[in-house]
Amino acid sequence: GLHTSYFTENGADRSNLKMFQIDLEQYDLVIAAAGVLETAEDFVRNIKVPVLLINDDKVHPGPWYQVVYDYKLGFEAAIKHFQKLGFEKVFIAGHKNTASMGRMQSTIKAAESLGICKENIIPYNGYNTFPSLLLSGRDCANYYCEQQLFDHAIISCSDFLTYGFLSYMDKKQLKAGKDFKLISYDNLEANVQDPALKLGISAITHPMDLAVHAIVELAEELVANENKNFQYYKTIHVPAKELVLRNSG
């Protein structure tokens, strides 16, 4: 029942953002991807209506509400699964972007909290200068093979990285679940229709649906209360905790 307006930004021109040209005070609430802080933090801090930041895994101190992804439970579940299989070494396939780096740090913390020593945790960012997650995944797999890390279970920070990883391993005639164990983040396989993408990838489910519900509920609450008698700058943590085991794990 809420009326919404939607617009996107091209962050390349930071001096000419659309939000600078719109009267945001005509709205009861502004919902923005947290990445907007990279280009316009001072502006966002001074908006006169409530601001709700979404699509991030970090809590950003400031005068705004937030819905934040919390990866720790999901990665703990993955590592506990590997430990039950006898693995005490972990290889983390990543990419040098904001989402991947956040997931990588959560994996490291989860592994350490479960008793895996730092020497047995190998984080690797594939092809940092390339935008393609698929190429990065292939690079991660190449490093994994070159270093003979087959005693390390694998956690991939993105299903797109995983597709690249598996394509490289397929060329080497190495099979997930048999020659190496892998759990990915996102669980795209639960939603894709293309049979060619049904690869049996064990996965931690990205809690996007839970996040949407949290965003809508918080938005309704903020608009209904007109920011009065409301918990000041509330942050909701949405945990990624569902582990779906398929062939690769």
Side-chain angles (χ1 to χ4, degrees), residues 3 27 34 37 77 119 130 151 160-161 169 191 196 198 242:
H3 174 73
Y27 299 106
L37 299 180
E119 292 76 14
F130 284 75
D151 58 344
F160 294 107
L161 280 166
M169 294 305 227
N191 300 310
K198 299 286 189 179
E242 182 184 49

Side-chain angles (χ1 to χ4, degrees), residues 193-211:
Q193 302 301 316
D194 186 349
L197 295 178
K198 299 286 189 179
L199 302 179
I201 301 170
S202 292
I204 302 158
T205 302
H206 186 32
M208 294 183 69
D209 291 340
L210 290 176

Side-chain angles (χ1 to χ4, degrees), residues 90 99 116 120 123 167 196 213 223 230 235 249:
V90 178
I116 297 180
N120 289 338
S167 71
H213 286 295
V223 171
F230 192 80
T235 296

